[in-house]
Amino acid sequence: MHPFKRSSRVSDQIRKEVADIIMNKIKHKDLGFVTVTDAKATDDLRHATVYVSTLNAEDGEKILKKLNSSVSFIKGSLAEG
């Protein structure tokens, strides 16, 4: 038996990939400093939730709005890679 569930390993890979996509592919100049802190995938791997934090708390709502507008691009980039 494996010591970790598959969803745990997939969650960790999603966290790494989304961080790379945000850092290298999203072209919002005023996105600011964003850290992908965690990702949780369901056991059936159909859904995942990605958690982020920002350095500047005042801009958190604005940054989150920009990231939410980029969700389809992030999903597409995950599907490619």
Side-chain angles (χ1 to χ4, degrees):
M1 186 83 187
H2 296 286
F4 297 104
K5 293 188 341 182
R6 183 169 190 227
S7 62
S8 176
R9 294 189 311 265
V10 170
S11 295
D12 190 47
Q13 190 63 34
I14 288 172
R15 181 187 57 79
K16 291 176 187 175
E17 293 294 327
V18 169
D20 183 60
I21 291 167
I22 290 172
M23 189 169 44
N24 296 319
K25 292 185 179 179
I26 293 183
K27 301 297 182 196
H28 287 295
K29 290 185 171 96
D30 53 344
L31 192 59
F33 187 79
V34 176
T35 303
V36 179
T37 57
D38 199 10
K40 302 274 187 205
T42 58
D43 287 340
D44 63 0
L45 303 177
R46 288 180 181 253
H47 302 282
T49 304
V50 177
Y51 299 91
V52 298
S53 69
T54 61
L55 186 62
N56 191 354
E58 300 88 46
D59 295 335
E61 281 293 319
K62 184 172 71 172
I63 291 170
L64 191 57
K65 190 180 255 187
K66 289 179 185 183
L67 286 174
N68 282 332
S69 70
S70 301
V71 166
S72 60
F73 175 77
I74 293 170
K75 284 181 180 181
S77 296
L78 278 174
E80 285 177 4

